[in-house]
């Protein structure tokens, strides 16, 4: 893969990570009462123009 591809992909993934963390933290603050609870999370990544649908699942502990 080209350097441009690698740089743009890393930039996108960094943005996904940072903005996703911010969104999760805000949702937990708004929800309140999440301490000691577990929440199932799912992230779905799609890329227009290529046949990609990637699903990541996990648990977030409050």
């Amino acid at each position: 893969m080209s350097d441009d591809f690698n740089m743009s992909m890393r930039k996108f993934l960094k943005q996904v990570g940072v903005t996703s963390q911010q969104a999760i933290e805000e949702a937990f603050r708004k929800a309140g009462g999440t301490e000691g609870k577990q929440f199932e999370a799912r992230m779905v990544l799609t890329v227009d123009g290529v046949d990609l649908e990637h699903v990541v699942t996990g648990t977030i502990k409050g």
Side-chain angles (χ1 to χ4, degrees):
M1 296 290 160
S2 72
D3 288 342
D4 286 342
F5 172 80
N6 285 327
M7 290 298 290
S8 65
M9 182 173 55
R10 287 174 187 244
K11 181 178 179 181
F12 172 75
L13 291 173
K14 183 177 181 179
Q15 181 181 7
V16 168
V18 170
T19 59
S20 296
Q21 181 175 350
Q22 292 169 343
I24 292 167
E25 289 172 349
E26 179 65 19
F28 272 63
R29 275 193 293 277
K30 285 182 180 178
T34 61
E35 295 81 17
K37 296 179 182 176
Q38 292 191 147
F39 300 86
E40 297 304 313
R42 182 181 72 175
M43 176 71 73
V44 180
L45 170 68
T46 59
V47 178
D48 295 340
V50 296
D51 186 22
L52 174 64
E53 182 173 308
H54 179 70
V55 179
V56 178
T57 59
T59 302
I60 299 174
K61 297 179 181 179

